[in-house]
Amino acid sequence: MIKVMFVCLGNICRSPTAQGVFSGLVKARGLDDKIFVDSSGTSNWHIGEPPDPRSVAMALERGVDLSSLRGSQVTREDFDTFDYILAMDKQNLSNLRAIAPADYTGHLDLFLRFDASSQVEEVPDPYYGGESGFIHVVDLIEAASEGLLQHIVDHKF
Ligand code: 4NP
């Protein structure tokens, strides 16, 4: 089983969207018995909370239901479990690097690195902005999810 975790700041906007979109893709390709998908936040601000209603609505427009997800905070132990720990932006990647065990052998990186055609490196925080920010988030995530799945298939099975 390949285990993938998406990480943002609050775990209520970007990373749950990535979890839902990528899980949907994995399921559609019949790989859900081979790839486990989760998400969490670097902050503890929204532990136990459902995703932001704006993210839930935006994902639903793309056929993805985020309503059952709940916020969690990333821990050092997650590095023992996950083969891919993918940050939405550089600040979150830096915070992850600060808690990662020195001998972590998985992929700790920016999620958008898996979209070779992406014009940007980071999925911007949409929390304090308007609807267009949430649309941009889901567009970036859909593109990078395709690239990530291709990478995993090419490298692991
Ligand atoms: P996320 O967005 O990191 O994509 O979940 C945010 C959610 C909440 C806050 C900031 C960003 N906040 O300040 O509470």
Side-chain angles (χ1 to χ4, degrees), residues 58-77:
M58 205 54 66
L60 213 49
E61 285 189 18
R62 311 292 173 104
V64 174
D65 181 8
L66 306 181
S67 62
S68 65
L69 302 181
R70 293 295 178 266
S72 62
Q73 184 178 26
V74 69
T75 67
R76 198 173 198 275
E77 286 66 43

Side-chain angles (χ1 to χ4, degrees), residues 6-130:
F6 298 104
V7 181
C8 62
L9 177 59
N11 192 214
I12 55 168
C13 299
R14 293 166 291 175
S15 62
T17 300
Q19 179 182 352
V21 167
F22 188 66
S23 291
L25 191 59
V26 164
K27 192 154 196 232
R29 302 282 164 86
L31 295 171
D32 44 329
D33 60 338
K34 293 198 172 69
I35 304 175
F36 173 76
V37 190
D38 202 352
S39 69
S40 63
T42 53
S43 78
N44 63 3
W45 303 339
H46 299 284
I47 292 173
E49 293 179 22
D52 188 298
R54 298 167 293 178
S55 292
V56 174
M58 205 54 66
L60 213 49
E61 285 189 18
R62 311 292 173 104
V64 174
D65 181 8
L66 306 181
S67 62
S68 65
L69 302 181
R70 293 295 178 266
S72 62
Q73 184 178 26
V74 69
T75 67
R76 198 173 198 275
E77 286 66 43
D78 289 323
F79 290 88
D80 299 332
T81 303
F82 289 92
D83 305 288
Y84 290 79
I85 298 182
L86 302 175
M88 295 295 142
D89 61 36
K90 291 175 185 174
Q91 183 62 57
N92 286 298
L93 180 60
S94 163
N95 291 340
L96 287 165
R97 287 206 170 115
I99 61 164
D103 60 352
Y104 180 61
T105 55
H107 298 78
L108 175 58
D109 211 336
L110 291 170
F111 178 34
L112 294 191
R113 289 231 195 279
F114 291 92
D115 178 7
S117 67
S118 180
Q119 304 295 306
V120 293
E121 292 184 274
E122 303 179 288
V123 182
D125 182 348
Y127 190 68
Y128 291 106

